[in-house]
């Protein structure tokens, strides 16, 4: 699936579920058990009809008071990225989608949810065959190389997916053919000649009214070509009213909310049946009972979300895959593929009698230094190079913290370095390092009391607890930038606290002052322990290093849950590791233009001054 530049906006209303327990055509209704998701929040589901095949929608009250953890235990949280098109190696847009999905999945696991995180590659279609031929390779060899490049990048970016589906997997082909046969049996597939303007890059016929001058595709800015083919068509127009009713009854189906109007406009302008086979494309899944045609790449690839649920050890079939976790809780996609996910895909599922995904979240595009990226402009942003140069934590943190969830976002190296240095190196890294340094110097790296005792009657503990809850709410609402901000506020509060208390001076006074200073260090280190958990969905490797500095093992970090953000984890007598910087500051590149040194000098010098001052204080 052609997934491109990807970004997000916070969801103000959490994910919803409408309970499909009523229908005006009771004799033809097949009921499904409602899927509970979060406390007082429910998703949409749909009834499938065996004879008339017309889905009915209704909303019923549900007064469940289950906690998130209880609801999570009942149903899996299935989150998907697009299946990335392998005509070219992964780019920063696909990397952004995937690290965002990974952060959401990691948070859900922290709160006890059974998560199924699906990603993968879309490996059929005309563009794949063309790309392979261009490189002198077979389509299968080309797909293998590019698919492995995605897996390698996800490893570099600390992406912990559960399922990686390739549309060339044999189990996927079985499920696609079974799904196709269901839709055919429902009378929604027919054969016809079609002539129209076709965008090779989108692999889609275009309505002439949506094209630019010279019949150019508005997405790829290349002329569409006139094609005439004898194909099989899907009766999309049959589902126009049902799709419109779904959006009326369940407006949270499309997120962010401003994307809803776009989808409604497409539907209200009238839906046309679309071709779901290609006679001219050999690289694809053959149409059942017609080996002269292959199944259209989108009709094929969208089903990867379901085929990914199949157990590799079992004989694949559609119903078994569906029962393993469908419907998806959250599809994360780019805005360029919204029509396929919010219009075509729901209609296909309705035709096959399957539930719709609960939310389709569409995000924006990425620019670099305020400009659209492209090879012709020489300003592409290679995610693997970013990770090699700055590390996975820096890349994950910047894109999740600085790009508003749902909107377009911009990358500049100067801003990247400033943000990462200020937040990860200074606010978090330096706070931990200076505190552990004081503990080693004055307390032999050993905590003098439990963190609960150290914080008795201390307002700092209340501040941290409020910020932890703030972060949790933002994670729940998919507002990743705000969740990051709440965690950084904990670090800022810690730096302010230690500067005001000046434990280095108290240690010198001895007696009660010494004991007070020792407690202050326990309080700060407890805050660092909590930061390690609350920020772990965003920067897992960094947080693992924080945990190690606090004397915990990797297994203890991996087993940590959100409940451990509660104050009181550190115990008296616990021995901390020797202080070691957990995040090295990034030094900006400096060049010369007309004899003038260029870099973000003012900002960097100010941050360097603060950094050095804090280090000097710790040494005092």
């Amino acid at each position: 699936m052609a997934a491109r530049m990807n970004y997000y906006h916070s969801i103000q209303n959490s994910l919803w579920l409408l309970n499909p327990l009523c229908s005006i055509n009771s004799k033809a209704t097949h009921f499904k058990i409602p899927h509970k998701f979060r406390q007082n929040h429910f998703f949409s589901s749909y009834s499938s009809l065996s004879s008339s095949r017309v889905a009915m929608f209704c909303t019923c009250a549900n007064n469940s008071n289950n906690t998130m953890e209880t609801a999570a235990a009942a149903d899996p949280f299935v989150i998907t990225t697009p299946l990335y098109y392998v005509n070219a190696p992964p780019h920063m847009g696909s990397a952004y989608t995937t690290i965002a999905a990974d952060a959401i999945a990691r948070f859900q696991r922290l709160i006890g949810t059974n998560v199924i995180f699906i990603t993968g590659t879309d490996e059929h279609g005309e563009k794949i065959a063309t790309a392979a031929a261009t490189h002198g390779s077979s389509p299968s060899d080309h797909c293998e190389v590019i698919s492995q490049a995605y897996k390698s990048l996800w490893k570099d970016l600390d992406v912990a997916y559960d399922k990686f589906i390739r549309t060339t997997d044999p189990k996927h082909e079985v499920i696609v053919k079974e799904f196709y046969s269901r839709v055919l049996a429902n009378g929604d597939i027919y054969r016809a000649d079609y002539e129209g303007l076709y965008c090779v890059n989108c692999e889609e016929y275009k309505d002439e009214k949506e094209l630019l001058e010279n019949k150019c595709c508005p997405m790829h800015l290349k002329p569409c070509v006139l094609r005439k083919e004898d194909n099989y068509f899907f009766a999309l127009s049959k589902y126009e009213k049902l799709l419109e009713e779904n959006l009326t009854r369940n407006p949270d189906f499309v997120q962010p909310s401003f994307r809803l109007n776009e989808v409604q406009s497409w539907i209200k302008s009238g839906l046309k049946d679309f071709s779901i086979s290609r006679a001219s494309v050999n690289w694809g899944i053959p149409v059942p009972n017609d080996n002269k045609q292959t199944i259209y790449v989108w009709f094929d690839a969208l089903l990867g979300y379901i085929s990914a649920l199949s157990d590799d050890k079992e004989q694949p079939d559609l119903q078994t895959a569906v029962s393993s976790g469908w419907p998806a809780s959250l599809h994360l996609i780019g805005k360029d593929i919204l029509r396929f996910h919010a219009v075509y895909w729901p209609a296909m599922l309705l035709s096959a009698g399957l539930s719709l995904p609960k939310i389709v979240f569409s995000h924006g595009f990425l620019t670099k230094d305020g400009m659209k990226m492209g090879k012709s402009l020489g300003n592409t942003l290679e995610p693997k190079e970013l990770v090699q140069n700055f590390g996975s934590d820096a890349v994950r943190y910047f894109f999740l913290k600085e790009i508003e969830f749902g909107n377009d976002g911009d990358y500049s190296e100067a801003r990247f370095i400033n943000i990462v240095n200020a937040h990860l190196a200074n606010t978090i890294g330096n706070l931990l390092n200076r505190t552990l340094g004081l503990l080693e110097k004055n307390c032999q790296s050993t905590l003098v009391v439990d963190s609960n005792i150290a914080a008795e009657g201390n307002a700092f503990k209340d501040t941290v607890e409020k910020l932890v809850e703030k972060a949790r709410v933002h994670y729940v609402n998919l507002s990743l930038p705000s969740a990051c901000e709440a965690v950084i506020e904990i670090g800022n509060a810690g730096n302010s606290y230690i500067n005001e208390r000046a434990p280095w001076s108290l240690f010198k006074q001895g007696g009660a002052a010494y004991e007070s200073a020792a407690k202050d260090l326990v309080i700060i280190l407890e805050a660092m322990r909590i930061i390690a958990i609350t920020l772990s969905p965003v920067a897992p490797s960094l947080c693992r290093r924080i945990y190690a500095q606090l004397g915990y093992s990797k297994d203890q970090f991996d087993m940590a849950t959100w409940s451990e953000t509660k104050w009181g984890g550190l115990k008296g007598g616990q021995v901390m590791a020797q202080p070691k910087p957990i995040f090295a500051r990034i030094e900006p590149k400096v060049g010369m233009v007309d004899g003038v040194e260029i870099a973000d000098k003012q900002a960097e010098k100010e941050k360097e001054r603060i950094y050095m001052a804090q280090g000097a204080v710790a040494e005092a």
Side-chain angles (χ1 to χ4, degrees), residues 106 110 532-533 536 539-545 547-548 552-561:
R106 285 177 181 274
L110 278 176
I533 297 172
S536 64
S541 181
L542 172 68
C543 294
R544 188 179 299 114
R545 293 195 296 274
Y547 236 52
Y552 294 104
S553 68
K554 180 181 180 298
D555 288 343
Q556 286 174 305
F557 175 79
D558 292 339
M559 293 174 63
T561 66

Side-chain angles (χ1 to χ4, degrees), residues 166-316:
R166 298 178 59 184
T167 59
T168 50
D169 287 349
K171 70 176 183 180
H172 175 74
E173 180 172 344
V174 170
I175 286 173
V176 169
K177 287 183 174 180
E178 186 178 346
F179 185 93
Y180 184 99
S181 298
R182 273 204 193 192
V183 176
L184 177 66
N186 192 41
D188 290 339
I189 295 177
Y190 62 91
R191 191 165 187 168
D193 289 332
Y194 185 80
E195 183 173 12
L197 292 167
Y198 188 79
C199 174
V200 176
N201 288 69
C202 290
E203 301 215 42
E204 179 188 21
Y205 282 101
K206 297 290 186 179
D207 192 327
E208 193 163 355
K209 66 184 179 183
E210 66 181 286
L211 299 179
L212 305 176
E213 291 184 10
N214 300 320
K215 299 177 181 177
C216 286
C217 168
M219 183 63 62
H220 297 99
L221 305 179
K222 294 181 179 180
C224 294
V225 296
L226 186 66
R227 282 193 177 179
K228 183 177 181 179
E229 285 188 294
D230 172 20
N231 296 144
Y232 293 96
F233 283 76
F234 173 67
L236 178 66
S237 57
K238 174 179 173 180
Y239 293 92
E240 184 176 308
K241 183 174 177 58
L242 290 172
L243 293 173
E244 190 172 355
E245 288 176 355
N246 169 45
L247 294 179
T248 300
R249 296 176 184 273
N250 182 20
D252 291 325
F253 177 70
V254 175
Q255 295 284 353
S257 58
F258 60 82
R259 299 281 180 214
L260 176 63
N261 293 335
E262 189 176 356
V263 175
Q264 289 175 320
S265 176
W266 289 333
I267 296 173
K268 288 178 181 178
S269 66
L271 298 179
K272 295 181 179 180
D273 298 351
F274 68 95
S275 170
I276 59 168
S277 74
R278 295 289 184 268
S280 58
V281 179
N282 294 322
W283 182 244
I285 297 174
V287 170
N289 302 318
D290 189 345
N291 289 329
K292 293 182 179 180
Q293 301 216 29
T294 55
I295 294 175
Y296 173 46
V297 61
W298 277 101
F299 197 92
D300 159 9
L302 287 162
L303 283 158
Y305 297 137
I306 294 177
S307 64
L309 295 168
S310 296
D311 191 328
D312 292 333
K313 298 178 182 178
E314 298 178 356
Q315 185 68 24

Side-chain angles (χ1 to χ4, degrees), residues 334-511:
K335 65 182 180 182
D336 55 330
I337 54 175
L338 179 59
R339 187 198 300 263
F340 293 101
H341 286 79
V343 179
Y344 290 14
W345 181 224
M348 289 163 54
L349 290 165
L350 290 172
S351 176
L354 300 178
S355 299
L356 273 61
K358 299 166 186 177
I359 280 186
V360 175
F361 193 101
S362 171
H363 39 78
F365 289 166
L366 178 63
T367 57
K368 184 180 179 184
D369 298 318
M371 298 175 61
K372 182 178 178 180
M373 289 189 290
K375 291 184 179 178
S376 60
L377 298 174
N379 68 339
T380 56
L381 189 60
E382 299 299 332
K384 204 166 188 71
E385 288 183 12
L386 277 181
V387 175
Q388 289 171 347
N389 291 337
F390 304 118
S392 64
D393 293 310
V395 175
R396 288 174 65 108
Y397 182 82
F398 175 81
F399 284 97
L400 298 183
K401 165 65 175 66
E402 289 300 299
I403 295 176
E404 189 177 2
F405 221 32
N407 292 344
D408 292 350
D410 185 67
Y411 168 89
S412 74
E413 185 168 297
R415 182 160 156 255
F416 177 94
I417 291 173
N418 288 342
I419 291 296
V420 169
N421 280 346
H423 294 184
L424 302 188
N426 291 358
T427 300
I428 292 178
N430 194 43
L431 177 61
L432 176 62
N433 193 252
R434 65 198 290 213
T435 306
L436 286 175
L438 287 167
L439 189 74
E440 181 185 39
K441 181 178 180 180
N442 298 282
C443 305
Q444 293 75 51
S445 296
T446 304
L447 304 185
V448 296
V449 293
D450 294 356
S451 53
N452 265 330
I453 296 173
E456 284 179 354
N458 196 313
F460 179 76
K461 173 187 172 183
D462 297 332
T463 298
V464 172
E465 289 176 337
K466 288 176 182 177
L467 289 171
V468 167
E469 176 58 16
K470 189 176 178 181
R472 187 194 65 80
V473 170
H474 287 312
Y475 276 126
V476 167
N477 290 334
L478 307 187
S479 183
L480 300 181
S482 297
C484 292
E485 186 63 36
V487 179
I488 294 302
E489 285 185 48
I490 297 175
N492 288 333
N495 278 299
S496 295
Y497 179 87
I498 200 169
N499 287 340
E500 291 169 4
R501 295 286 297 168
W504 48 89
S505 297
L506 296 177
F507 277 125
K508 293 177 181 178
Q509 296 175 30

